[in-house]
Amino acid sequence: MSELVALLREGLPPESILTDPDVTASYAHDMASFCPAGAPAVVVLPRTVDEVRHVLRTATALRVPVVPQGARTGLSGAANAVEGCVVLSLTRMDAILEIDPVNRIAVVEPGVVNADLSKAVAAHGLAYPPDPSSWEQCTIGGNIGTGSGGLCCVKYGVTAEYVLGLDVVLADGRLLRTGRRTAKGVAGYDLTRLFVGSEGTLGVVVRAVLALKPAPPRQLVLAAEFGSTAAAGEAVARIMAAGHTPSLLELMDATTIEAVNRVTRMGLPDSTQALLLAGFDTQDPAAELAAVGELCRAAGATEVVPADDAAESELLLAARRATLVALESVKGTTMIDDVCVPRGRLAEFLDGVAAIAERRRLTIGVVAHAGDGNTHPTVCFDSSDEDERRRAQASFDDIMALGLELGGTITGEHGVGVLKRDWLARELGPDSVALQRQIREVFDPLGILNPGKVL
Amino acid sequence: MSELVALLREGLPPESILTDPDVTASYAHDMASFCPAGAPAVVVLPRTVDEVRHVLRTATALRVPVVPQGARTGLSGAANAVEGCVVLSLTRMDAILEIDPVNRIAVVEPGVVNADLSKAVAAHGLAYPPDPSSWEQCTIGGNIGTGSGGLCCVKYGVTAEYVLGLDVVLADGRLLRTGRRTAKGVAGYDLTRLFVGSEGTLGVVVRAVLALKPAPPRQLVLAAEFGSTAAAGEAVARIMAAGHTPSLLELMDATTIEAVNRVTRMGLPDSTQALLLAGFDTQDPAAELAAVGELCRAAGATEVVPADDAAESELLLAARRATLVALESVKGTTMIDDVCVPRGRLAEFLDGVAAIAERRRLTIGVVAHAGDGNTHPTVCFDSSDEDERRRAQASFDDIMALGLELGGTITGEHGVGVLKRDWLARELGPDSVALQRQIREVFDPLGILNPGKVL
């Protein structure tokens, strides 16, 4: 038994320590493409805060890197193992400790699955809005680590806006409490927010106080078809400029529509170059749909289909939900990007991606949280075709450059991980990178927390 | 001429540099009680980013402390001068650079007055929600520095939630850009949020990208009178637990009501121990008022007065707006506290403050943003009475201790400054303070930025 495993056993039960290489190898990757991963020395699955502290103390004593993991549904390699590391899976710390309707907070362990929390708070008439696509698998700890978003963000904001306070195990095993349980608070620097999106490089979240919202009325959805991306982009601009606040505003481009048609036989017309889905969960959503439908028509929509009820709304959303599977079926492998641009430049971005696809001879579908300007260009490629694989990887750089050129950011909600480390430096510039490095050193002077990620 | 002034003149026009001690002394204080202040060596009023950079470069070269200031309406001494410092007033950098309705952002200089921004965006059908009481004087830069709130926060959140990106001049004069212009973004650690509420100790904000909301419908207000604070607290709990989202939910205690009655002759009944004001800016506010009125009655309200229109709503709110002046009239001087507790413990807090007032033989009125649990106990005292002054100061500590005991924070929205430095350390604990100090050193290795504040 290695010294590492022997020391870990002093504070963890044997069944919480995995060392079989076949098993530990299955913890090496999250869902990102093109991201290297090493082989973990060991995988630990603690059940208590004290066990996590023991893991960090052990790692500090032996100078062994620690890679925190949730459900590994991330798309930037942030949860990928590094060679010889301790993989620290928080999935077994999955208790919802408290739901408080008066103070509208939930207190949870990091391994709670997003959907489980959503269902639990719904029973109290409350909602935890952040809804990443992977919400049925992904954990709150992972959501906090990546600062994840979802469809609801256009109205309800991202994960960061729902994290009031954290318990964090620091690199040396100390337990830090940040933030508060109250609705407001400005006591000192905002360490809570610093941990959100830090991808496990500053500490390990073991408990979170989350803000909840009253459950909204059921949403009604409208679908609008457009003959050009420019028209769809114009509709998005008009909807937002007119002061509407949709609960979702999603866009699919022609490539995505075609893929969805092929897989689902939904029969969207071939002439449709862009499909816009707008949802409203206000008291009178039908009135909003009527107004937004008019704006879509004025922007050039070829067809506008407002749902009459929840069932019809779900049918319309089915097209959006089918996109990932549909795009995966095109070539077997996808690389899902995540670029956020000012929403006024959405059409330019879509046209730019289409040009990249043509130049690189690739199929790239774009789905976008259009209301936020947050796009997910999805590159479809055959990973066994070396040349196509290379072109796919090259298109990634093209897409990042395009996003920055349009005043956007290289990541709206998926995070940096290893995938976008170099591009992060380009977006931030050397002064910001230097400051961020120094902040990281404050929290992790030995460099054992998720090394090689983010910066 | 001192070396400091000579160097400053190399990058600032003479009219932007004030050295007359009678004049500079008038910049020594913000509006906090019991906070020491030194005499500034010089006050500078730059008009451009380059001038600010020159000031910081000069201060770094000579190791002179710099105290950034907005309108000095703060209540924690964060903007108080330190002996021999450069007071850096940002009030002349007051341009609104951009208002963009499609992307719902404004780009502003730090000296823009909150009310001026609100009016400017209203002309585009938009709103900048954060509304501190001092909104007609206070600046956006000051709001960002203190992380300020206001009445609207219960529905719309605090300043921090509206700051998307910043331009910050660092201690050595370098210009750092943080954040983004997009609705979402998770590129690297959240430096933007770290600067918000840092009270000028990490850098000087010279430009901000702010998120805007669509202007809401006009709000309708309801007033409810209660025979006990417990009943009013119960009403707040029931309103929030029932899933209502008021646009304001304000509470005044018996002492405040009495003071307001005396000053305004509004004639609130003597038996009223607590007055609750609830506002709604939804499409159908009358329906919300009816429902909330029922909840108030069920919680024991002795009278419920819903406004029929905007004019009546304003009349009801006049009582709330009169509180500060009314409480000031009690003894000539007030010390306005700022403690946020979980809203479920509001009644306990109010009773605790009443007990402190009795024990210390003081008049303490409490107004609260009840929907957030954010209270402002206001100690009324005669500053020429040395004994009363001492008792007032002692009550401050009692109130902080009470807030922490109830699971609250020592500052909901006014910040730490010098007033609450010691209490901050108590709330955070030594590990957090040590980390925050190290972060501060990353940004300000020479310790010239607003020394002695926050930590």
Side-chain angles (χ1 to χ4, degrees), chain B residues 21-264:
Chain B
D22 290 342
V23 177
T24 59
S26 70
Y27 286 81
H29 280 280
D30 64 18
M31 290 175 68
S33 305
F34 298 122
C35 290
V42 56
V43 174
V44 294
L45 297 130
R47 290 187 187 277
T48 68
V49 173
D50 277 343
E51 288 177 3
V52 175
R53 299 183 68 182
H54 177 73
V55 172
L56 273 295
R57 276 192 293 257
T58 303
T60 285
L62 301 182
R63 307 285 196 270
V64 176
V66 175
V67 177
Q69 286 184 349
R72 286 182 291 117
T73 50
L75 291 161
S76 69
N80 280 10
V82 299
E83 192 63 30
C85 75
V86 176
V87 162
L88 173 53
S89 171
L90 282 312
T91 48
R92 287 190 188 164
M93 291 178 69
D94 61 355
I96 297 172
L97 302 169
E98 195 182 334
I99 295 172
D100 175 344
V102 171
N103 294 301
R104 290 188 189 160
I105 57 172
V107 183
V108 303
E109 290 186 330
V112 172
V113 170
N114 183 298
D116 292 342
L117 178 61
S118 294
K119 284 169 206 154
V121 303
H124 296 264
L126 294 164
Y128 175 71
D131 59 347
S133 296
S134 58
W135 74 301
E136 288 180 306
Q137 291 87 45
C138 65
T139 64
I140 298 297
N143 295 170
I144 292 171
T146 47
S148 51
L151 271 61
C152 76
C153 304
V154 61
K155 179 165 184 177
Y156 294 104
V158 295
T159 298
E161 292 166 55
Y162 292 87
V163 185
L164 297 177
L166 294 171
D167 282 5
V168 180
V169 176
L170 298 173
D172 59 11
R174 277 178 303 162
L175 184 63
L176 179 75
R177 179 157 289 184
T178 74
R180 56 188 205 271
R181 287 174 62 96
T182 54
K184 289 157 82 178
V186 288
Y189 303 143
D190 194 343
L191 298 188
T192 306
R193 193 66 172 245
L194 198 57
F195 282 109
V196 177
S198 67
E199 301 182 3
T201 63
L202 302 179
V204 178
V205 171
V206 290
R207 187 178 151 280
V209 182
L210 304 172
L212 305 173
K213 294 263 185 202
R218 198 164 272 219
Q219 83 182 345
L220 269 193
V221 174
L222 163 149
E225 298 168 12
F226 295 87
S228 72
T229 51
E234 177 62 24
V236 170
R238 289 188 190 204
I239 291 167
M240 298 309 280
H244 293 285
T245 302
S247 47
L248 64 82
L249 186 55
E250 297 287 312
L251 190 145
M252 295 156 59
D253 74 348
T255 303
T256 307
I257 292 165
E258 200 189 311
V260 169
N261 263 342
R262 211 169 34 233
V263 170
T264 65

Side-chain angles (χ1 to χ4, degrees), chain A residues 255-267 326-327 329-331 363:
Chain A
T255 303
T256 307
I257 292 165
E258 199 189 313
V260 169
N261 263 342
R262 208 168 36 232
V263 171
T264 65
R265 302 186 192 284
M266 282 187 170
L327 288 167
S329 75
V330 174
K331 288 276 194 162
T363 302

Side-chain angles (χ1 to χ4, degrees), chain A residues 305-325:
Chain A
V305 185
D308 283 330
D309 54 32
E312 274 184 40
S313 295
E314 273 310 303
L315 270 179
L316 293 176
L317 282 180
R320 171 64 180 85
R321 293 196 213 285
T323 53
L324 250 184
V325 169

Side-chain angles (χ1 to χ4, degrees), chain A residues 101-104 124 146-150 153 155 158 161 170 174-177 179-191 193-194 196-199 201-202 213-214 237 239-245 283 288 338 340-345 369 371-374 407-416 424 427-428 431-432 435-440 442-443 454-455, chain B residues 101-104 124 146-150 153 155 158 161 170 174-177 179-191 193-194 196-199 201-202 213-214 237 239-245 283 288 338 340-345 369 371-374 407-416 424 427-428 431-432 435-440 442-443 454-455:
Chain A
V102 170
N103 294 302
R104 290 188 188 160
H124 296 265
T146 46
S148 50
C153 304
K155 179 165 184 177
V158 294
E161 291 165 55
L170 298 173
R174 277 178 302 163
L175 184 64
L176 179 75
R177 178 158 289 184
R180 54 186 208 273
R181 288 173 62 96
T182 54
K184 289 158 81 179
V186 288
Y189 302 142
D190 194 343
L191 297 188
R193 193 65 174 248
L194 198 56
V196 177
S198 67
E199 301 183 3
T201 63
L202 303 179
K213 295 263 184 202
I239 291 167
M240 299 309 281
H244 292 285
T245 303
Q283 289 300 340
E288 300 263 8
D338 169 44
C340 193
V341 296
R343 61 175 78 91
R345 309 199 72 174
H369 309 310
D372 292 318
N374 192 177
T409 172
I410 57 153
T411 174
E413 58 183 6
H414 290 176
V416 178
L424 181 72
E427 177 170 336
L428 297 181
D431 284 341
S432 183
L435 286 166
Q436 301 209 17
R437 270 190 206 288
Q438 284 177 277
I439 289 170
R440 186 169 182 166
V442 165
F443 287 89
V454 187
L455 299 168
Chain B
V102 171
N103 294 301
R104 290 188 189 160
H124 296 264
T146 47
S148 51
C153 304
K155 179 165 184 177
V158 295
E161 292 166 55
L170 298 173
R174 277 178 303 162
L175 184 63
L176 179 75
R177 179 157 289 184
R180 56 188 205 271
R181 287 174 62 96
T182 54
K184 289 157 82 178
V186 288
Y189 303 143
D190 194 343
L191 298 188
R193 193 66 172 245
L194 198 57
V196 177
S198 67
E199 301 182 3
T201 63
L202 302 179
K213 294 263 185 202
I239 291 167
M240 298 309 280
H244 293 285
T245 302
Q283 289 299 338
E288 300 263 9
D338 170 44
C340 194
V341 296
R343 61 175 77 92
R345 308 200 71 175
H369 309 308
D372 292 318
N374 191 178
T409 172
I410 57 153
T411 174
E413 58 182 6
H414 291 176
V416 177
L424 181 73
E427 177 170 337
L428 297 181
D431 283 342
S432 183
L435 285 166
Q436 301 209 17
R437 269 190 207 289
Q438 284 177 275
I439 290 171
R440 185 169 181 165
V442 165
F443 287 89
V454 188
L455 298 168

Side-chain angles (χ1 to χ4, degrees), chain A residues 371-395:
Chain A
D372 292 318
N374 192 177
T375 70
H376 296 307
T378 303
V379 183
C380 306
F381 64 102
D382 174 355
S383 59
S384 67
D385 177 336
E386 196 45 52
D387 179 62
E388 190 164 276
R389 199 183 153 85
R390 249 197 308 272
R391 282 182 279 123
Q393 213 163 351
S395 75

